[in-house]
C-alpha cells in the first residue's frame, strides 16, 4: 500500500504551480451549538493562522452565547447544519435528517425554519448554505434548497452537482477515524484524501474550481487530531501555491468566470 507523507503533498502542489494553477482550500467545522473550551481552541487556531473558518451550526440547538463569542472573529462564518441534527431514518438504517423517508414539505419546513433562526441570530455572518447532518441527503432535497433561499450545499467527498444553483462545495479531508477508535486517522490516510482531491482537480476541469475542504469536528478531537490540524493549516498557509477561501467568497462573492 502506498504511504503518503508531507513531501508528496509538496510534490502535488509543485505540479499545480507548474501548470500555472493555484490550489484553493476551505475549512468547515461541524456540530457547532455553543461556547466551549474546544470551540475556543478551534477559533484560536483559525485566528492565529488568519484562515477563514466556516462553522456548521445546528439551528434549533444554538446557545445565544455563541453569537457574542463569534463577535471577535470576523473571519468566521456560519452555515446551516440541518435543523435539529435529528435522524428520521427507520431503526437499522443510516442516520439522515434530510433522507428519503421524509416528504418534500417536511424537508422544506426544516430548511426554512433553520434558515430563519440562523439569519435572525447571526445576520450577515450566516452564509445560506446547507450542510446536511451526516453528510447525507435525498436527491429531492436539491431543488428545495433554492425555494428555501439557500444558495449552496456542502457534504463530503467529490461533488455530485456540477451546476451552480445550488453550488455544491464539499469537504474532502477528514482526520477522524470515525469507524475505528475515533482518534487520528493517520497521516498517510489523511494526506491521501487531500492529495487525491488535488489530483482530481488538476486533471479534470469539471472538479477544478471546487476548493479542497478540510472537515473538522472540534468537540470530538483527540490531541493527535488537533496536532494534525494545526500542522496542516500551518504548512498549507506557508505554501505559495495555496490560497484559503472563505465561505462568503465561495458562495456569495464568486469571481465571474473569465469570458
Ligand atoms: Zn453533524
Amino acid at each position: 500500500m502506498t504511504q503518503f507523507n508531507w513531501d508528496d503533498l509538496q510534490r502535488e502542489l509543485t505540479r499545480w504551480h507548474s501548470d500555472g494553477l493555484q490550489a484553493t482550500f476551505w475549512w468547515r467545522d461541524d456540530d457547532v451549538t455553543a461556547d466551549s473550551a474546544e470551540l475556543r481552541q478551534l477559533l484560536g487556531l483559525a485566528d492565529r493562522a488568519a484562515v477563514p473558518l466556516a462553522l456548521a451550526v445546528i439551528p434549533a440547538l444554538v446557545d445565544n452565547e455563541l453569537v457574542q463569542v463569534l463577535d471577535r472573529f470576523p473571519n468566521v462564518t456560519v452555515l446551516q447544519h440541518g435543523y435539529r441534527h435529528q435522524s428520521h431514518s427507520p431503526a437499522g438504517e443510516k442516520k439522515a435528517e434530510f433522507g428519503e423517508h421524509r416528504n418534500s414539505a417536511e424537508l422544506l419546513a426544516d430548511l426554512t425554519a433553520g434558515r430563519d433562526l440562523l439569519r435572525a441570530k447571526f445576520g450577515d455572518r450566516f452564509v445560506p448554505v446547507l450542510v446536511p447532518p451526516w453528510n447525507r441527503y435525498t436527491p429531492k432535497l436539491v431543488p428545495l434548497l433554492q425555494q428555501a433561499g439557500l444558495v449552496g450545499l456542502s457534504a463530503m467527498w467529490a461533488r455530485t452537482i456540477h451546476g451552480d444553483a445550488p453550488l455544491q462545495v464539499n469537504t474532502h479531508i477528514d482526520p477522524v477515524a470515525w469507524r475505528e477508535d475515533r482518534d487520528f486517522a493517520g497521516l498517510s490516510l489523511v494526506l491521501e484524501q487531500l492529495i487525491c482531491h488535488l489530483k482530481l482537480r488538476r486533471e479534470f476541469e469539471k472538479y477544478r474550481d471546487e476548493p479542497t475542504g478540510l472537515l473538522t469536528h472540534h468537540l470530538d478531537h483527540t490531541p493527535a487530531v488537533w496536532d494534525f490540524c494545526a500542522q496542516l493549516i500551518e504548512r498549507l498557509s506557508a505554501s505559495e501555491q495555496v490560497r484559503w477561501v472563505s465561505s462568503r467568497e465561495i458562495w456569495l462573492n464568486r469571481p465571474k468566470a473569465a469570458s
Side-chain angles (χ1 to χ4, degrees), residues 195-213:
I195 292 165
C196 283
H197 191 248
L198 285 178
K199 195 159 178 276
L200 181 76
R201 293 172 63 192
R202 188 166 50 78
E203 292 179 349
F204 299 96
E205 205 159 343
K206 70 174 183 176
Y207 295 104
R208 188 160 304 154
D209 69 334
E210 182 186 12
T212 300

Side-chain angles (χ1 to χ4, degrees), residues 28 30-32 56 58 81 85 131-135 217:
R28 193 185 97 201
D30 281 9
D31 303 336
V32 181
I58 305 169
H81 198 27
H85 212 295
V131 177
W134 301 285
N135 292 303
H217 288 80

